[in-house]
Every structure is written in structure tokens, then in C-alpha cells.
């Protein structure tokens, strides 16, 4: 039986009757297996007192058997629907309040709870539930490091082959193939490969109809997934040549990135780090090009706590991993972002990413 | 400006003040661009009367500019949060009722609406909103066909290299690489490569520690994504040898699959098709191995309407695409599934998948 005691304790701490988990990073962590959900409600309910129970789509029962779950299981079939399973669970575990993962649970699942229990108080426990993942174990860090190493090896391969005249889409496809060739189990997210003006879009999509030109900035933001953990790395290169402005912007972003490392040690807050990093950008001639916060936590999810931004006074603690990704974006011109994955240690931090950050010209 | 008139009309038909779209298949269809959302609410609200409005994360504004959206935009920054944007939108478009995509919108987004508008009535409009995608255009079908063709070429490559002694995981990774090599933009879903007893799990995960053996069933359920559309194909092979039972089960599933094609023509219901297919399985000696419905709609999402199951009296209409995927699963022994992607035509249907379905021995 998976150990669900942390979630049980969390229900007590949050003064709710139970915590609900749906397929996603917390579910995988708690149950030890990843599941798909699609159109089918699939929920584990961990009460403050007593045994957990689960609502499981019937066709998943064969895989569910591998979990070793010992609580009551209410399965349901597509043909008859899931309402009865929620009603049976509600009768089995009397709950009046339920903490859910607000960023994972979808509205049709919360509606199914409400239909079965019209007076149920549903609380968004995203911060608390996902917060249990903030401090990484040694095993977590090893998986993260593996995902990062795969990603960096893929990037080495890909930049060696970049040539003027290729489309962004061609380079993106080469990156994806390199990631799998290097051992990725899947992609942490749909990678960003953005040249020229597209690099000024923080979430630019690779274009089929844009050919890379001399002087372009070329931004890669990508990551492999390995053993359930996601890498998230950004490097920005220049193709064949770099303008004085490009160089100056790059140097500014790199200084901000370095300040991020210097500002990071146990006891400071997420606010402090973002403030230190963003202050470098604000003091530069490019302050009007700031579009994003410094970064976010990284682990089973690509974006998770702690969010590294002003106003977030969450304490930074040993074992947290966060992305240090300052950037400057000039619309219709170019953007630069440099992103490292940073592990907080007992007395400071260390980078899990090792790819060089000096301004690099590629595509010769 | 994207044409949102269908969604406006839908709000009227559903007697709600507006329809909300969040990043996902409907959003991409309506706006013409795909966006990520992660921890950031991102919503387009299309009212029954008047112009649409959007809540957009500030860092997405540069990409949002490509959409050509002409309505009011309420952007918000990570540092200050999104509550004010919802309040401003609520003041701009007076809504008392809102249809949302229940299987796409997450609880934290519906909670943000409720915080801004405590009396708002939120209706699950998943069926109606996603229903607008059920009848595929010629362009949709071309993209689906491209995704399917890529997937089939990848499978040809992979089965040629399967050998006894390989792990499921090795074959899965070879499949993923072949998909990208053949032109996939991304994976429609995390592929299933399951041998022996694992093939009896409808959603089995490839194992690192299971080596393929002589006589194993080897099930592939996978698909490429291309131009926003997802393929979804299953073939089950036998490795080097097949038992009499394996052959008999395979023949039964293949007969059920063929009956699915015969039962499909405009005007019948999803119930009728599942009933015809499942009746073949029920009349066989393997009735106790039935675990799933016949299939589901396929398009921008891997699972969408129409769900091909008894009790669903939705009419099957020309232009719909659905998966014909009967299967039989004997726990701890083996499973067989054969899945085609079927386009409903004016007078019947035709398969978009062309990979042979005769029982095939591989791994020699």
C-alpha cells in the first residue's frame, strides 16, 4: 500500500475532511504509478482519519492492481457512467470539505463531487498539496539531473548542425529527435525554438515559414522528461554574427542570471531572489524589455512552487529546485533568455545545468 | 479577428450569457493558435451578444498579437496576480451564466470567475462546445490523415526490428524516435507498448524490466500529432509464435472490428455501433475479457465525442471520425486490441488507417 500519511496529515493541517488527488504529478508521487485520465474521472480520496478510497475507471483496474492500494475502490464503466461511483464513495467516506489540486482537477470532476454531495465545500489546496513536492529527495534530484544531462547533450548535437536558411521548425524537429536519441522518456513540454523577432515572444512557436538569418538571436527553451522529472533549460545563441545591441542585452541578462545564483541561499525568500535579479534588468538601458518573473519551481511538473517573483514571501529551503531564467524581450526585434535549473543547498545553491553561458556564435 | 460566431450562437442555444474557452483543442480551433497555460489563467469569453474579451497572461501578449483578436484584453502579471483581470472582465461583460469546457478548464480558473462574480452560474458545456468539432472539415481530415500516415510508417519501421529479448521500453523508445523521424510534430499521447501479461492492461505502461519472449502478444497503441490533429492506432502482433488461444482471440477481435465498419453509416447511433461490435465479443467464448467500449471520437483531442458506447444515442453523421477499437483482455495472460480510425461518409464509412490487420507474426 502506498504511504499516504503526508496527505492524511495535510487534511488535518488544512482542517478539511479529506484531500483528493487526480492523475498528475501529485498522484504519481503518492501512488507510485502514472495514469491517464482524459474524459474519465479517476480520484483518490485521502481522509484525515481512516482509510483512503478511490474512484477508478473500470478499464484501468488491471493497471491499478500494480499500485497495491488497499482502500475501497469504486470502479465505473463508460457505458453506465460515473455518478454512482461518486455517490458510493460519498456514502463510504463522509466528507463535508475536500481539498483539491486546483491546477490539476478539472471542472467536470469537481462537479461530480458536488452532484453526489451538494453541500460539499471544495477548497483549492494546490499550494499545500503540491507544496509537499517542493523539497526534493536525493532520488528526485538524481532523476532531475538525468533529465537535464539528456537535454544538454541534445543541445550540443543540435547547435552543431544549425545553418543559415533552415526553418525554425527544422531545428525544432532536430532538437526533439536528439532529445529522444539521448534518452528522454518524453518531452517536459513542447520545446520553443525561436529565431529573430520570434525570440522576443517568451512562448514563441517554431515557424515553418521563417528561415534563420545571419545575425539572428536563436532561443532554445526545452527539456527532457526522465523517471517522472522534467528539465527546463534555455540558451540563446546568435547566428554567425551578433550586433552590439545583441551583445549588450546578452551581457545584461547573463549578469542578472549570475545575481540569481548569488542571491540564493536558505532563508531568503522567493521575493528576494526575483528582486535581486529584476533590479539588474531594471538598472540597465533595457528595463522596458522585462516581461517575466525570474522563474519557478521545477520537479515532476515544469511549473511548480516556489514561484520566484516579487510579492511571494515563501522561504527558500535546501532541496528546492527552481529555474533562474531572466530575459529581455524587444517586440519585433529579438529576445534573450538564459535559464538554469538551480538546487538550493545547505549553504547556498548549485546549478544542475552545466551548459556554457558565455555568448556563443553558432551556424558558421 | 478570428470568427467566433459559432460560439456566440452556442451561448444563445444554451441560454447562457457567454461561453468561455481556455487553452486546449477548442481554443486552438477558435483562435487559430495554440497556447500553454500551466499555472496562469488564460481565457477567452464569447458573449451571446457583443464583442468577445480575453484574460491573457502578460508574458503571452507578444504571441497573442498574432491572433488578431479585436475584443478587450485584460492582461495580468505574475507579480500582481490575476484577480483584478477577472474583476475587470466581469465589469466589462456583464454575465450571470457561463458555459465552460468541463474537461479542460481547471478548478482554479472557475474559482477565479466565482471570486469575481459570486452569483455566476457555471454550466458544464463540454459536450456542446467540443461538439462543434465533431464534424470534420476537409482540412481537418487531411491533417488527421497525415498524422495517421506518419504513425503507420513508424510502425512499419519498428516491427521490422523487434527481437526476442528486447525490453518493452526499448521498443517504446524506438517507436517514439520513428514517429518523429517520420514527421510527427509531437505525440498524440504517451504510447503504449505492452507485451505478454502487460498487453492485458488496456493502458499498460512499457516496462524496463520485461524482456519480450517467444509467443508473447505485443500490443502497440500510439499516434503522431500533426497540424493539431491526433492519430490513434492499435495493432497487436505475436512474437515468433502464436498459441491456438491467441489465434482464436485475435480472430474474434478482428471480426468485431470488421462489424464496426459494417455497422457504421449516417443515421445510426453510437449505441448501435457499440452494440453490434460488443455483441460479437459477447457471443464468443471470451465474453469475460471485455473491458472497454468500442471507441471514441478523434480529432484535435485523442478522446472526444462521439463516444461509441451503448447508452449513447448520439447520431453518427458524415464527417465524424471515431476509433473502432474492440479488444479482449485476459488478466495475467494477454490482450488483443485492433484499432482503426474511421471517417463517416455520406453513405457509410471508410478507414483512414490502412495498416494490415491480418494476424501477423513478428520478431523472426
Amino acid at each position: 500500500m502506498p504511504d499516504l500519511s503526508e496527505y492524511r496529515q495535510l487534511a488535518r493541517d488544512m482542517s478539511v475532511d479529506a484531500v483528493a488527488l487526480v492523475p498528475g504529478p501529485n498522484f504519481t508521487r503518492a501512488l507510485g504509478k502514472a495514469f491517464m485520465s482524459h474524459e474519465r474521472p479517476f480520484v483518490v480520496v485521502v481522509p484525515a482519519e481512516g482509510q483512503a478510497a478511490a474512484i477508478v475507471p473500470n478499464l484501468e483496474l488491471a493497471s491499478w492492481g500494480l499500485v497495491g492500494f488497499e482502500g475501497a475502490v469504486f470502479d465505473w464503466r463508460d457505458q453506465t457512467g460515473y455518478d454512482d461511483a461518486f455517490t458510493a464513495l460519498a456514502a463510504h467516506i463522509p466528507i463535508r470539505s475536500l481539498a483539491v489540486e486546483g491546477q490539476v482537477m478539472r471542472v467536470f470532476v469537481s462537479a461530480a463531487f458536488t452532484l453526489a454531495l451538494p453541500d460539499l465545500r471544495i477548497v483549492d489546496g494546490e499550494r499545500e498539496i503540491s507544496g509537499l513536492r517542493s523539497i526534493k529527495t536525493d532520488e528526485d534530484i538524481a532523476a532531475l539531473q538525468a533529465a537535464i544531462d539528456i537535454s544538454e547533450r541534445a543541445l550540443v548535437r543540435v547547435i552543431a548542425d544549425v545553418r543559415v536558411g533552415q526553418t525554425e521548425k527544422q531545428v525544432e524537429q532536430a532538437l526533439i529527435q536528439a532529445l529522444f536519441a539521448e534518452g528522454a522518456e518524453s518531452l517536459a513540454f513542447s520545446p520553443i525554438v525561436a529565431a529573430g523577432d520570434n525570440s522576443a515572444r517568451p512562448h514563441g512557436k517554431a515557424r515553418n515559414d521563417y528561415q534563420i538569418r545571419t545575425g539572428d538571436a536563436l532561443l532554445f527553451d526545452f527539456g527532457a522528461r526522465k523517471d517522472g522529472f522534467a528539465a527546463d533549460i534555455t540558451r540563446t545563441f546568435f547566428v554567425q554574427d551578433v550586433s552590439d545591441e545583441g551583445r549588450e542585452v546578452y551581457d545584461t541578462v547573463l549578469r542578472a542570471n549570475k545575481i540569481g545564483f548569488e542571491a540564493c541561499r536558505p532563508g531568503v525568500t522567493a521575493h528576494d531572489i526575483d528582486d535581486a535579479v529584476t533590479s539588474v534588468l531594471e538598472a540597465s538601458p533595457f528595463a522596458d524589455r522585462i516581461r517575466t518573473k525570474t522563474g519557478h519551481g521545477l520537479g515532476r511538473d515544469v511549473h511548480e512552487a516556489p514561484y520566484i517573483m516579487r510579492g511571494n514571501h515563501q522561504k527558500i529551503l535546501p532541496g528546492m529546485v527552481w529555474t533562474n531564467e531572466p530575459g529581455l524581450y524587444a517586440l519585433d526585434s529579438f529576445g534573450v533568455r538564459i535559464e538554469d535549473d538551480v538546487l538550493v543547498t545547505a549553504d547556498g545553491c548549485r546549478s544542475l545545468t552545466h551548459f556554457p553561458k558565455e555568448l556563443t556564435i553558432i551556424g558558421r
Side-chain angles (χ1 to χ4, degrees), chain A residues 128-164:
Chain A
E128 293 82 357
I129 300 170
S130 295
L132 294 175
R133 295 188 277 120
S134 304
I135 309 293
K136 270 64 184 174
T137 66
D138 289 348
E139 200 179 359
D140 295 349
I141 294 164
L144 260 169
Q145 188 68 65
I148 290 166
D149 292 348
I150 288 166
S151 307
E152 295 194 338
R153 290 199 304 269
L155 186 59
V156 169
R157 276 195 193 206
V158 170
I159 61 169
D161 290 335
V162 168
R163 295 289 176 270
V164 166

Side-chain angles (χ1 to χ4, degrees), chain A residues 27-260:
Chain A
F27 194 101
T28 305
R29 173 181 183 268
L31 282 304
K33 296 271 170 202
F35 288 90
M36 297 194 275
S37 176
H38 294 301
E39 78 276 21
R40 299 185 180 98
F42 193 161
V43 196
V44 171
V45 174
V46 186
E49 309 293 340
Q51 204 165 32
I55 290 174
V56 181
N58 180 276
L59 86 166
E60 300 288 4
L61 283 179
S63 295
W64 181 250
L66 299 174
V67 168
F69 186 83
E70 286 170 4
V73 172
F74 303 94
D75 71 300
W76 60 275
R77 289 175 182 268
D78 291 333
Q79 290 84 345
T80 43
Y82 48 79
D83 290 346
D84 289 351
F86 280 84
T87 304
L89 179 121
H92 183 76
I93 305 187
I95 48 173
R96 287 146 305 164
S97 53
L98 181 69
V100 306
E101 309 152 275
Q103 291 182 22
V104 190
M105 182 182 280
R106 290 168 290 158
V107 167
F108 81 118
V109 178
S110 64
F113 273 110
T114 304
L115 187 67
L117 290 162
D119 296 326
L120 182 68
R121 185 169 60 90
I122 294 179
V123 178
D124 188 347
E126 177 69 42
R127 193 169 54 84
E128 293 82 357
I129 300 170
S130 295
L132 294 175
R133 295 188 277 120
S134 304
I135 309 293
K136 270 64 184 174
T137 66
D138 289 348
E139 200 179 359
D140 295 349
I141 294 164
L144 260 169
Q145 188 68 65
I148 290 166
D149 292 348
I150 288 166
S151 307
E152 295 194 338
R153 290 199 304 269
L155 186 59
V156 169
R157 276 195 193 206
V158 170
I159 61 169
D161 290 335
V162 168
R163 295 289 176 270
V164 166
Q166 290 173 328
T167 64
E168 291 173 347
K169 199 78 195 171
Q170 284 175 316
V171 179
E172 180 207 49
Q173 292 300 304
L175 175 63
I176 291 173
Q177 289 189 49
L179 283 163
F180 284 107
E182 290 294 349
E185 283 173 1
S186 60
L187 303 177
F189 55 96
S190 199
I192 296 168
V193 176
D197 62 321
N198 206 19
S199 63
R201 299 186 179 102
H203 288 162
K205 300 268 168 208
R207 297 170 291 193
N208 247 324
D209 59 355
Y210 181 87
Q211 295 179 310
I212 294 166
R213 299 177 199 168
T214 296
D216 273 354
L218 180 58
L219 184 153
F220 296 82
D221 185 351
F222 70 104
R225 189 176 273 281
K226 180 81 177 168
D227 292 334
F229 282 79
D232 187 4
I233 303 171
T234 306
R235 288 293 183 267
T236 309
F237 304 95
F238 288 88
V239 179
Q240 289 193 332
D241 194 14
V242 59
S243 66
D244 290 346
E245 184 193 351
R247 193 177 291 277
E248 205 180 333
V249 168
Y250 194 94
D251 288 348
T252 306
V253 174
L254 183 55
R255 268 193 297 124
N257 171 285
K258 287 180 177 169
I259 290 291

Side-chain angles (χ1 to χ4, degrees), chain A residues 273-338:
Chain A
I273 297 174
D274 187 39
D275 191 54
V277 172
T278 304
S279 294
V280 174
L281 304 177
E282 285 170 344
S284 79
F286 310 112
D288 61 331
R289 301 186 185 186
I290 302 170
R291 309 287 294 190
T292 64
K293 60 179 184 267
T294 292
H296 50 79
L298 181 71
R300 290 181 183 273
D301 213 342
V302 187
H303 287 212
E304 59 181 47
Y307 295 97
I308 309 298
M309 64 184 181
R310 285 175 176 163
N312 179 9
H313 299 289
Q314 184 177 2
K315 280 235 158 54
I316 297 300
L317 299 171
M320 287 182 171
V321 175
W322 57 280
T323 66
N324 179 9
E325 51 173 315
L328 291 169
Y329 309 91
L331 196 59
D332 297 326
S333 178
F334 72 100
V336 170
R337 175 165 67 249
I338 301 171

